[in-house]
Amino acid sequence: MRRYDSRFSDGVYYLETDDGWIEVGEADTLLALLGETYTLEYGERERAAAWLETDTDGELTFDVRETLAGMTYRQSFVDQIEDCDLSETTEEGVPLRTAVFADMMESIWESKGNLQS
């Protein structure tokens, strides 16, 4: 299954599509929505996984910009983002595409990889 790249360029975050690159939004806007860092909390049982490196409180904190820069996406995800109009804004004045992307990333991160739950 093909994965689509992402990149930051000149302060803007982009996703790769079959037809080229689409703008997701300004990096500053994404970081305002998601934060410079993002912290996930894991319970005792989850912390038992050998691959998971949390702090003593069961928290895993990561740099949002660095994480987004290294991510790849499925076509279905890219299609959902592409379908959102970048020129339309939310009530808060955030481009709809940027807001939807941030909401979807937060959902993915909070699901801790289990999107069916």
Side-chain angles (χ1 to χ4, degrees):
M1 175 180 294
R2 177 152 189 243
R3 303 284 295 185
Y4 293 82
D5 287 326
S6 61
R7 70 176 185 214
F8 283 101
S9 179
D10 297 324
V12 177
Y13 189 65
Y14 295 91
L15 293 182
E16 180 185 24
T17 71
D18 287 331
D19 298 322
W21 293 84
I22 60 165
E23 180 178 334
V24 173
E26 298 286 330
D28 290 344
T29 304
L30 278 172
L31 296 176
L33 294 170
L34 294 169
E36 293 283 336
T37 61
Y38 199 89
T39 301
L40 297 173
E41 296 179 21
Y42 291 88
E44 286 291 327
R45 185 170 176 207
E46 294 168 311
R47 284 187 255 174
W51 57 267
L52 185 61
E53 296 181 25
T54 64
D55 64 14
T56 56
D57 294 327
E59 295 181 342
L60 172 72
T61 300
F62 56 89
D63 181 278
V64 170
R65 182 187 299 266
E66 183 180 300
T67 299
L68 291 177
M71 291 196 67
T72 61
Y73 303 90
R74 291 182 178 175
Q75 183 172 3
S76 59
F77 182 92
V78 173
D79 289 345
Q80 284 183 278
I81 300 303
E82 189 172 24
D83 286 345
C84 296
D85 190 346
L86 189 61
S87 63
E88 187 178 335
T89 60
T90 65
E91 290 179 9
E92 294 79 22
V94 175
L96 181 61
R97 182 181 290 168
T98 308
V100 168
F101 176 84
D103 286 345
M104 290 176 69
M105 290 311 303
E106 191 168 34
S107 292
I108 290 168
W109 292 337
E110 288 299 323
S111 74
K112 300 170 186 150
N114 184 13
L115 292 177
Q116 279 67 38
S117 64

